[in-house]
Amino acid sequence: MDLYERIKEIARLKNISIAQIERANDLSNGSISKWAKNAPSADKLAKVARYLNVTSDYLLGIADQAKDLNGDNIVPMEDESTIFSFDGKPVTPEERDFLNSVIKAYRKQK
């Protein structure tokens, strides 16, 4: 997975668009998509990594596992390899979908 693909994946997990990332970091429209072929400057990469709360090492492909800036793994809620439980019982796929919708609604209101 290249730099652009990693950014797209983290953006998808965080439910934000590439355009939002570009606007928030004063990057020109479409500039991140060009990173699939041309490496960005270190300062632009660092801005995007901080905005996404991931390490530059992950975005560059140096680290295999996405980690946030605190060093914690970033795992999508729908990742079946991650076991979620509540009150001692496994969280079902339907409950995960419900939790995703509650979190999305909460974030829209913030």
Side-chain angles (χ1 to χ4, degrees), residues 7-109:
I7 292 170
K8 274 185 16 182
E9 177 63 14
I10 294 297
R12 183 189 67 77
L13 292 174
K14 293 179 179 268
N15 200 32
I16 55 178
S17 70
I18 297 296
Q20 285 174 286
I21 298 168
E22 290 169 339
R23 282 191 299 270
N25 290 285
D26 297 321
L27 300 172
S28 62
N29 187 32
S31 62
I32 291 178
S33 66
K34 293 176 186 171
W35 295 357
K37 294 184 180 178
N38 299 309
S41 64
D43 63 319
K44 289 179 182 179
L45 177 65
K47 279 183 180 182
V48 171
R50 274 194 302 276
Y51 180 79
L52 293 173
N53 191 34
V54 296
T55 63
S56 297
D57 282 355
Y58 174 73
L59 293 181
L60 291 170
I62 296 168
D64 290 333
Q65 177 61 47
K67 294 186 184 283
D68 66 20
L69 297 177
N70 295 320
D72 297 324
N73 289 341
I74 297 174
V75 179
M77 193 179 266
E78 61 271 6
D79 183 349
E80 294 299 324
S81 68
T82 304
I83 300 171
F84 287 100
S85 66
F86 178 78
D87 206 19
K89 297 176 186 165
V91 174
T92 67
E94 293 79 17
E95 291 169 328
R96 284 179 192 222
D97 291 342
F98 173 74
L99 290 172
N100 274 326
S101 66
V102 169
I103 292 168
K104 285 178 185 175
Y106 170 77
R107 287 182 176 171
K108 283 183 181 179
Q109 292 179 356

